[in-house]
Amino acid sequence: MEGACEGSLACSTCHVILEDEIYDKLEEPTDEENDMLDLAPGLTETSRLGCQVIMSKDLDGMVVTLPNATRNVQSERFAERPSHQQQPQPSAQPQPQ
Ligand code: FES
């Protein structure tokens, strides 16, 4: 799982799906978390941003499911950076002389 914004509520790459009983033990998500969750593919009734889940003994043994897809604007644009574009390869064809 990626946490592209490192927990600053600026992405939804840490989207996780929790079991009902675990979800109910947590504090309600903030408006900022809900705004980011709205952008997460595969949103469910028990979705949370993993970076906002504060671990405690009460959550021991919890099972987390990752959604089938994620949205990461950073990764989507990663290949567009000039330093990450493919350089043309020299031709393997013999050049006429
Ligand atoms: S890592 Fe970006 S919101 Fe959790």
Side-chain angles (χ1 to χ4, degrees):
M1 175 173 62
E2 185 172 6
C5 77
E6 300 178 356
S8 62
L9 287 172
C11 75
S12 58
T13 59
C14 61
H15 174 205
V16 293
I17 300 165
L18 305 176
E19 297 169 307
D20 290 347
E21 59 271 13
I22 296 295
Y23 185 89
D24 292 341
K25 289 180 182 177
L26 301 175
E27 298 275 325
E28 289 291 315
T30 63
D31 289 345
E32 291 82 7
E33 181 178 353
N34 279 327
D35 287 346
M36 280 297 124
L37 280 169
D38 285 343
L39 302 175
L43 189 66
T44 73
E45 291 292 320
T46 61
S47 288
R48 292 296 301 261
L49 294 179
C51 69
Q52 301 302 303
V53 175
I54 299 171
M55 296 305 295
S56 68
K57 270 283 196 210
D58 213 23
L59 302 180
D60 263 2
M62 71 187 256
V63 174
V64 173
T65 303
L66 299 181
N68 290 335
T70 188
R71 171 171 295 174
N72 182 352
V73 175
Q74 277 186 318
S75 289
E76 289 169 1
R77 297 190 177 159
F78 183 78
E80 296 173 13
R81 292 188 207 160
S83 61
H84 294 92
Q85 290 180 346
Q86 292 256 328
Q87 297 299 316
Q89 298 297 311
S91 172
Q93 299 288 324
Q95 297 296 315
Q97 296 190 13

